[in-house]
């Protein structure tokens, strides 16, 4: 079930050890509390920053560790095995920090990245809209230049966003919007850096309650003439599509790693229970029906992990592939649902009880087949890439 050690660099092992220590020492003792309270665990995220786990993909000069993407997936999988909510919070934060590292000015990098790497500032990307989904070409949120046409006076953002990971609790929001007036040579969207709701009059947030991933904050945002200065434009006007979609293969592979982590935790619970629980004088693991479930769970999990780490290694080597990332995301999501469902089956009625780890894993797993592109979209992408359509 483990990656071949010889395939891992010293950096990979260091990152894996950091993630394991964080998951064991910090997240595991708090996982049940986070689940029960459903409150954003800011102190846990800050501790992740203190341990270098929020800056794995950020440059060292801004407080990052400059690990590669395989190292990131090793870390997020391990954390997800303890808390899917914490892992998904880190995922959302990471993919808000990365665009600033890639497309930001020196001043923007210096202002935001050290705080985001340390955990002092949480990040969120606001792309999805109620009537446009996550398609940057169909967005209706607008950024109007103040004083009519003079962008030197800043912008006013107006529109609605939906299902934003970390939205509302974030200190740094990347908002994808259409600039008005639109330059003649550009028909796309732009990205703007917006502070937290308490520091941006006109910015409101309503949290969405989910059946799982409790403690992971996501929800709907409204921007009613939110004023931001010109220097908060990220990248070039009209360059928003490239920024928003530039890390999509990485994000999907990362979600696959989260799925693999949740599946791994459920598998471990199921195999331990099958060995300990006796029925009719024998451990339930000696019954063939249970053995079939365990075998199928292992196959699903092992296949998903292979696809995730194959894609992560390719991305780390600058050989990322859209089909591979979609396959990794699909496999990780499907494995999470399959393994958690059957882990409950192995436990019987006990597994369906509130407060059982496998019950939480089951609820947490479902969202992964929806966010970041549904499983249906991943299948379409895989087929399109395969058929060269």
């Amino acid at each position: 079930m483990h990656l071949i050690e010889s395939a891992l660099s010293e950096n990979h092992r260091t990152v894996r050890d950091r993630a394991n220590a964080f998951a064991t020492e910090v997240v595991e003792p708090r996982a049940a509390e986070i689940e029960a309270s459903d409150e954003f665990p800011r102190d846990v995220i800050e501790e992740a920053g203190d341990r270098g786990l929020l800056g794995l993909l950020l440059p060292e000069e801004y407080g990052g560790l400059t690990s590669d993407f395989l190292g990131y997936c090793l870390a997020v999988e391990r954390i997800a095995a303890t808390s899917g909510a914490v892992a998904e919070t880190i995922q959302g934060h990471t993919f808000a920090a990365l665009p600033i590292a890639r497309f930001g000015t020196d001043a923007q990098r210096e202002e935001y990245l050290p705080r985001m790497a340390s955990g002092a500032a949480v990040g969120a990307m606001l792309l999805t809209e109620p009537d446009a989904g996550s398609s940057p070409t169909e967005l209706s949120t607008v950024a109007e230049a103040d004083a009519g046409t003079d962008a030197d006076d800043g912008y006013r953002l107006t529109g609605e966003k939906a299902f934003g990971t970390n939205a509302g609790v974030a200190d740094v929001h990347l908002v994808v919007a259409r600039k008005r007036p639109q330059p003649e040579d550009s028909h796309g969207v732009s990205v703007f850096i917006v502070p937290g709701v308490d520091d941006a009059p006109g910015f409101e947030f309503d949290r969405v309650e989910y059946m799982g991933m409790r403690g992971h904050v996501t929800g709907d945002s409204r921007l009613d003439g939110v004023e931001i200065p010109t220097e908060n434009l990220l990248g070039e006007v009209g360059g928003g599509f490239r920024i928003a979609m530039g890390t999509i293969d990485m994000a999907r592979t990362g979600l696959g790693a989260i799925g693999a982590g949740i599946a791994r935790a459920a598998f471990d619970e199921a195999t331990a229970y099958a060995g300990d629980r006796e029925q009719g004088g024998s451990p339930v693991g000696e019954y063939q029906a249970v053995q079939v479930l365990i075998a199928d769970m292992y196959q699903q999990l092992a296949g998903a992990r292979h696809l995730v780490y194959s894609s992560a290694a390719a991305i780390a080597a600058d050989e990322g592939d859209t089909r591979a990332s979609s396959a990794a995301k699909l496999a990780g999501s499907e494995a999470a649902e399959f393994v958690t469902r059957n882990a409950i089956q192995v436990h019987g009625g006990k597994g369906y009880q509130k407060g059982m780890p496998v019950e939480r894993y089951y609820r947490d797993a479902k969202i992964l087949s929806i966010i970041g592109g549904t499983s249906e979209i991943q299948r379409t992408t895989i087929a399109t890439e395969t058929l060269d359509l």
Side-chain angles (χ1 to χ4, degrees):
M1 294 295 292
H2 297 284
L3 288 169
I4 298 173
E5 284 294 311
S6 61
L8 300 180
S9 68
E10 183 178 349
N11 177 273
H12 293 144
R13 294 188 182 92
T14 298
V15 168
R16 183 183 60 185
D17 291 346
R18 281 177 184 248
N20 183 63
F22 172 67
T24 303
E25 298 168 6
V26 180
V27 183
E28 187 172 354
R30 294 284 305 282
E33 176 195 330
I34 293 170
E35 161 73 14
S37 69
D38 197 21
E39 295 180 358
F40 179 66
R42 185 173 290 274
D43 61 323
V44 173
I45 302 306
E46 290 175 350
E47 181 66 22
D50 289 343
R51 296 180 180 231
L53 295 170
L54 299 184
L56 292 175
L57 300 178
L58 300 181
E60 290 183 8
E61 61 190 292
Y62 300 111
L65 287 183
T66 318
S67 180
D68 65 16
F69 193 63
L70 178 56
Y72 171 80
C73 286
L74 285 165
V76 79
E77 183 201 7
R78 177 62 189 91
I79 296 167
T82 308
S83 170
V86 172
E88 175 55 17
T89 297
I90 291 174
Q91 167 92 352
H93 170 87
T94 297
F95 288 98
L98 261 183
I100 298 176
R102 288 185 165 190
F103 300 99
T105 63
D106 289 342
Q108 288 171 340
R109 293 189 187 103
E110 291 171 2
E111 180 176 356
Y112 298 108
L113 292 185
R115 293 192 294 128
M116 297 180 84
S118 70
V122 174
M125 167 72 82
L126 303 188
L127 169 62
T128 302
E129 293 188 358
D131 298 322
S134 299
S135 173
T137 61
E138 299 178 14
L139 301 184
S140 59
T141 298
V142 298
E144 296 184 282
D146 269 0
T149 60
D150 186 2
D152 290 336
D153 290 330
Y155 303 94
R156 289 178 180 268
L157 273 64
T158 302
E160 296 183 3
K161 295 294 181 179
F163 305 118
T165 293
N166 300 338
V169 296
D171 308 283
V172 181
H173 298 82
L174 302 190
V175 178
V176 187
R178 296 187 178 280
K179 178 186 174 299
R180 289 180 179 171
Q182 190 75 26
E184 292 183 3
D185 60 348
S186 173
H187 302 284
V189 294
S190 304
V191 176
F192 302 87
I193 303 174
V194 179
V197 292
D198 292 337
D199 299 315
F203 186 9
E204 298 180 351
F205 170 77
D206 291 324
R207 185 175 179 182
V208 173
E209 300 293 335
Y210 283 147
M211 73 179 200
M213 290 288 189
R214 292 173 58 81
H216 158 243
V217 173
T218 184
D220 302 332
S221 304
R222 292 179 302 280
L223 301 102
D224 184 10
V226 175
E227 297 182 3
I228 59 167
T230 303
E231 56 264 27
N232 282 33
L233 170 68
L234 181 63
E236 299 178 352
V237 170
F241 183 88
R242 180 185 174 206
I243 294 173
M245 307 304 286
T247 57
I248 190 168
D249 286 349
M250 298 174 74
R252 285 178 172 173
T253 300
L255 286 170
I258 291 174
I262 294 172
R264 188 176 80 174
F267 180 79
D268 289 345
E269 289 282 345
T271 53
Y273 186 83
D276 293 339
R277 167 66 169 160
E278 289 194 359
Q279 185 74 32
S282 300
V284 297
E286 292 186 7
Y287 291 93
Q288 190 174 36
V290 173
Q291 292 175 356
V292 169
L293 291 178
I294 295 295
D296 287 346
M297 292 160 69
Y298 175 87
Q299 174 264 321
Q300 287 268 345
L301 175 55
R305 295 188 81 204
H306 172 78
L307 288 171
V308 166
Y309 290 110
S310 175
S311 177
I315 291 171
D318 291 325
E319 298 173 358
D321 176 77
T322 295
R323 179 174 64 175
S325 67
S326 286
K329 201 271 184 182
L330 175 65
S333 302
E334 301 268 302
E337 284 198 50
F338 181 88
V339 175
T340 56
R341 182 176 72 248
N342 284 293
I344 290 178
Q345 201 72 14
V346 170
H347 281 72
K350 196 170 185 179
Y352 195 61
Q353 291 179 353
K354 199 74 174 172
M356 289 293 288
V358 290
E359 182 265 347
R360 169 164 63 90
Y361 301 149
Y362 184 52
R363 287 185 290 102
D364 287 352
K366 179 55 195 173
I367 191 64
L368 295 173
S369 66
I370 300 172
I371 58 174
T374 64
S375 290
E376 291 74 22
I377 287 176
Q378 305 313 319
R379 288 185 168 92
T380 299
T381 300
I382 293 166
T384 300
E385 293 289 320
T386 300
L387 298 172
D388 196 25
L389 297 178

